[in-house]
Amino acid sequence: MTTTIPETGLALHSLVTEDGVLELSLVDVAVPEPKANQVVIRVEAAPINPSDLGLLLAGADLSTATVAGSADRPVVTASIAKSAMRALTARVGTSLPVGNEGAGTVVAAGTSPEAQALLGRTVSVAGGAMYSQFRCVDVALCLVLPEGTPAKVGASAFVNPLTALGMVETMRREGRTALVHTAAASNLGQMLVRLCAEEQVPLVNIVRKPEQEALLRSLGAVHVCDSSSPTFMRDLIAALTETSATLAFDAIGGGTLASQILTCMEVAAAASATGEYSRYGSTTHKRVYIYGGLDRGPTELTRSFGFAWDIGGWLLTPFLQSLEPEKFQRLRSRVADGLESTFASSYTKEVSLSAALQPDAFSVYSLQATGEKFLIAPHH
Amino acid sequence: MTTTIPETGLALHSLVTEDGVLELSLVDVAVPEPKANQVVIRVEAAPINPSDLGLLLAGADLSTATVAGSADRPVVTASIAKSAMRALTARVGTSLPVGNEGAGTVVAAGTSPEAQALLGRTVSVAGGAMYSQFRCVDVALCLVLPEGTPAKVGASAFVNPLTALGMVETMRREGRTALVHTAAASNLGQMLVRLCAEEQVPLVNIVRKPEQEALLRSLGAVHVCDSSSPTFMRDLIAALTETSATLAFDAIGGGTLASQILTCMEVAAAASATGEYSRYGSTTHKRVYIYGGLDRGPTELTRSFGFAWDIGGWLLTPFLQSLEPEKFQRLRSRVADGLESTFASSYTKEVSLSAALQPDAFSVYSLQATGEKFLIAPHH
């Protein structure tokens, strides 16, 4: 270990107490000596993704959130509804580090040649606990960025890029040829627009505001439907008829949008079907994967779309586990090559670990508004 | 053709008019001369299954139903909500015969030896248009019943028995080992209790009333959970923990039951899981197939069951089409052998074609109350 590494570093932790309180705080964590095949990363940039918020916020009622502690060591508390506590049993009383992914500089390395080779390099990692000043991980977890790439460019090299690639790959595996995506103006949505253009996959983008439609059209998106428009259902049917999309990835989860998508897919399928009336709807199989929960309310399905449909959860990790190792490596390399183009991310704000727990930041990113994307810089 | 066959027979038809009116009536239909490989069946018994009601009732608002016409030729009319008409476009203006299955005597046969061999035999058919006095079908569609079997015994030889067998087969295909079934006191539910006992498949039965629980327990059902009980969720979690059931077949569709089942499956899975807390829920994949729509209201999913889940439509016909022909034949034979035991049906009322359209019958079977099962006897 070099002398630039302190014995401890700060890390953002989330704790659920037995009496139903969420507590977010900064804790001092020892920086471990790396084992032979490990490296210590000085984390310089870690995004706050929607997929981080489940662990971070534990479904707490954020209208009850208060901040105490000092400016350097703020402590956020909020209460958790009794009904939400059942699903949290396994984490009660355990202070958990947060942050799925991030990037930084390798400042210490174990004795193996593989570990030593990374000294001084910028690497991206999806190792969990990335809202930390220092993180010790196995070499195999590191995605080495091209020389000179700033950590900020590599901060979001896993979750969004691999999710976008996973959507296209899932579509192909299922023998489908086009995609629907909701909350499509997000960082991930913009990435998917670029990726689908490259891959020549027809993509129907669903957004919630006219300005989001304008943004996506400026990126070259062909099919953009605004769910706030009075002509939304008609627009969506037209786009689905044109693209023959029968698979949607939905980041919203709650409300009626998934049901509306299935209904419009069914209308598009019935319109193109020939033959006699079927009392059970079309034979075209329609599917929606829910991969996020921007709306935590219930999903409401009218089932006005026959019987050839399903809706289910989709998660990145099991998808990645289903890939052959070589395929996974190809996807990772593709991301590394495209971090400043296809897979580029943008952030609206950079905050330090302590600033991330202050009300002005906390109240913004916890809302999960499309267009608001925070980056944590743990050493600021 | 023998002289006992009239030139026409009555058939129950369902019509949706352009201005959104459902019209049910009896029409005179010519009895066709059978082709070489066809037979004419004098239909003696045809059940009113929940799966018939979609075509029969077309989602009409039954509170508006009125009966006109004569006692012999009643005409039921009811209005259809505008929102429901979109899905009906393909059938507007076409008078459609109804009745998925039934049984009767072969009274005329084509010239082929196969057709001639059936003369005088009782056969079951799932050929559609079975609420008819006479039905001309291909020999291949006929399930020949053991000599002396009354038509009434063979009336329900397809939909319920093959659905019960299909549930067990689907479970096995997916590598699962136990089942959950809702509306479990139905004729189909009782069949499934007997079938699962024979096959040694653990079955969790969900009913809506204490008397239905008593009925199923009297049949030997081991796990019965009453959704009207204040301890329902706790009971269901206990049954799911004991059986490790991760697959449910739901006949109800609307409301929160499917979501409750997934939630309880997740609690059962989390309780038996070892290892660290996962923010995304258990890795146990939980599935609900909706195969009916006793509650036509929206399905409400709270998504309090992680990401390893899905819910979708399940239909008998595509399942049967997915079977190898030999397998399908084996299932059919098994049903024929078990029509008075495993696959026996019971009916609360027998009605003629005209009586089926009278308010006292119509208002009962259209409600789809569990325990009410009607049989149409077209020659009464």
Side-chain angles (χ1 to χ4, degrees), chain B residues 241-261:
Chain B
T241 305
E242 205 168 321
T243 58
S244 300
T246 58
L247 178 64
F249 282 86
D250 175 36
I252 294 173
T256 59
L257 185 57
S259 191
Q260 288 174 301
I261 293 170

Side-chain angles (χ1 to χ4, degrees), chain A residues 156-314:
Chain A
S156 298
F158 288 89
V159 180
N160 280 349
L162 291 175
T163 299
L165 287 164
M167 290 174 178
V168 172
E169 177 70 17
T170 299
M171 177 202 80
R172 295 212 167 108
R173 266 192 207 173
E174 297 185 4
R176 306 180 196 254
T177 55
L179 283 174
V180 180
H181 188 225
T182 73
S186 65
N187 254 300
L188 170 59
Q190 297 177 37
M191 227 173 252
L192 193 64
V193 167
R194 294 188 294 261
L195 178 63
C196 285
E198 284 175 25
E199 299 277 324
Q200 298 187 287
V201 170
L203 172 67
V204 177
N205 300 277
I206 299 178
V207 298
R208 290 174 285 185
K209 289 175 191 166
E211 57 268 33
Q212 295 168 339
E213 176 171 351
L215 168 70
L216 288 188
R217 293 214 184 269
S218 78
L219 296 177
V222 178
H223 304 283
V224 190
C225 302
D226 175 3
S227 61
S228 71
S229 158
T231 61
F232 173 60
M233 293 290 278
R234 205 192 312 155
D235 299 343
L236 184 54
I237 291 169
L240 293 170
T241 304
E242 204 167 320
T243 57
S244 300
T246 59
L247 178 64
F249 282 86
D250 175 37
I252 294 173
T256 59
L257 184 57
S259 191
Q260 287 174 300
I261 293 170
L262 290 169
T263 299
C264 292
M265 284 178 177
E266 176 68 4
V267 175
S272 64
T274 49
E276 61 177 319
Y277 165 74
S278 162
R279 68 204 82 173
Y280 301 119
S282 80
T283 56
T284 302
H285 189 270
K286 303 158 291 289
R287 175 169 284 170
V288 176
Y289 286 121
I290 296 180
Y291 76 94
L294 295 179
D295 178 343
R296 284 159 57 197
T299 313
E300 229 185 74
L301 305 173
T302 59
R303 306 194 313 288
S304 54
F305 31 74
F307 276 83
W309 61 276
D310 61 37
I311 177 166
W314 191 91

Side-chain angles (χ1 to χ4, degrees), chain A residues 27-373:
Chain A
V27 298
D28 290 299
V29 178
V31 180
E33 195 72 29
K35 291 181 190 157
N37 220 27
Q38 290 185 328
V39 294
V40 173
I41 302 164
R42 182 182 188 270
V43 181
E44 282 140 14
I48 303 181
N49 289 318
S51 51
D52 289 307
L53 296 181
L55 183 64
L56 185 72
L57 305 177
D61 176 0
L62 299 180
S63 69
T64 66
T66 57
V67 184
S70 64
D72 274 6
R73 298 287 181 107
V75 177
V76 176
T77 55
S79 55
I80 301 173
K82 259 210 171 126
S83 58
M85 282 296 288
R86 180 156 55 186
L88 300 171
T89 316
R91 62 170 287 189
V92 166
T94 309
S95 182
L96 296 168
V98 191
N100 284 325
E101 66 179 341
T105 310
V106 174
V107 291
T111 51
S112 79
E114 292 80 10
Q116 286 292 319
L118 297 191
L119 263 174
R121 295 295 299 262
T122 309
V123 295
S124 295
V125 185
M130 294 305 290
Y131 301 161
S132 302
Q133 292 187 313
F134 296 92
R135 205 41 195 103
C136 180
V137 300
D138 279 357
V139 170
L141 285 182
C142 295
L143 179 66
V144 185
L145 303 182
E147 289 275 10
T149 309
K152 185 178 168 179
V153 167
S156 298
F158 288 89
V159 180
N160 280 349
L162 291 175
T163 299
L165 287 164
M167 290 174 178
V168 172
E169 177 70 17
T170 299
M171 177 202 80
R172 295 212 167 108
R173 266 192 207 173
E174 297 185 4
R176 306 180 196 254
T177 55
L179 283 174
V180 180
H181 188 225
T182 73
S186 65
N187 254 300
L188 170 59
Q190 297 177 37
M191 227 173 252
L192 193 64
V193 167
R194 294 188 294 261
L195 178 63
C196 285
E198 284 175 25
E199 299 277 324
Q200 298 187 287
V201 170
L203 172 67
V204 177
N205 300 277
I206 299 178
V207 298
R208 290 174 285 185
K209 289 175 191 166
E211 57 268 33
Q212 295 168 339
E213 176 171 351
L215 168 70
L216 288 188
R217 293 214 184 269
S218 78
L219 296 177
V222 178
H223 304 283
V224 190
C225 302
D226 175 3
S227 61
S228 71
S229 158
T231 61
F232 173 60
M233 293 290 278
R234 205 192 312 155
D235 299 343
L236 184 54
I237 291 169
L240 293 170
T241 304
E242 204 167 320
T243 57
S244 300
T246 59
L247 178 64
F249 282 86
D250 175 37
I252 294 173
T256 59
L257 184 57
S259 191
Q260 287 174 300
I261 293 170
L262 290 169
T263 299
C264 292
M265 284 178 177
E266 176 68 4
V267 175
S272 64
T274 49
E276 61 177 319
Y277 165 74
S278 162
R279 68 204 82 173
Y280 301 119
S282 80
T283 56
T284 302
H285 189 270
K286 303 158 291 289
R287 175 169 284 170
V288 176
Y289 286 121
I290 296 180
Y291 76 94
L294 295 179
D295 178 343
R296 284 159 57 197
T299 313
E300 229 185 74
L301 305 173
T302 59
R303 306 194 313 288
S304 54
F305 31 74
F307 276 83
W309 61 276
D310 61 37
I311 177 166
W314 191 91
L315 269 187
L316 180 59
T317 307
F319 165 74
L320 293 178
Q321 286 164 348
S322 76
L323 291 174
E324 288 165 25
E326 306 75 51
K327 176 88 185 171
F328 180 47
Q329 284 311 322
R330 276 208 304 282
L331 295 185
R332 271 174 47 138
S333 309
R334 182 166 176 188
V335 172
D337 292 343
L339 277 175
E340 303 197 72
S341 53
T342 314
F343 301 110
S345 294
S346 59
Y347 307 93
T348 45
K349 200 163 178 182
E350 275 185 56
V351 289
S352 66
L353 282 170
S354 55
L357 298 184
Q358 297 298 345
D360 59 335
F362 185 77
S363 63
V364 175
Y365 64 73
S366 62
L367 269 184
Q368 306 189 54
T370 301
E372 289 290 349
K373 181 98 180 170

Side-chain angles (χ1 to χ4, degrees), chain B residues 22-85:
Chain B
L22 167 73
E23 192 184 295
L24 305 178
S25 63
L26 302 184
V27 299
D28 290 299
V29 177
V31 180
E33 195 73 28
K35 291 181 191 156
N37 220 26
Q38 290 185 328
V39 294
V40 174
I41 302 164
R42 181 183 189 270
V43 182
E44 282 139 14
I48 303 181
N49 289 319
S51 50
D52 289 308
L53 297 181
L55 183 63
L56 185 72
L57 305 177
D61 177 358
L62 298 180
S63 68
T64 67
T66 58
V67 185
S70 64
D72 275 6
R73 298 288 180 106
V75 177
V76 176
T77 54
S79 54
I80 301 173
K82 260 208 172 127
S83 59
M85 282 297 288

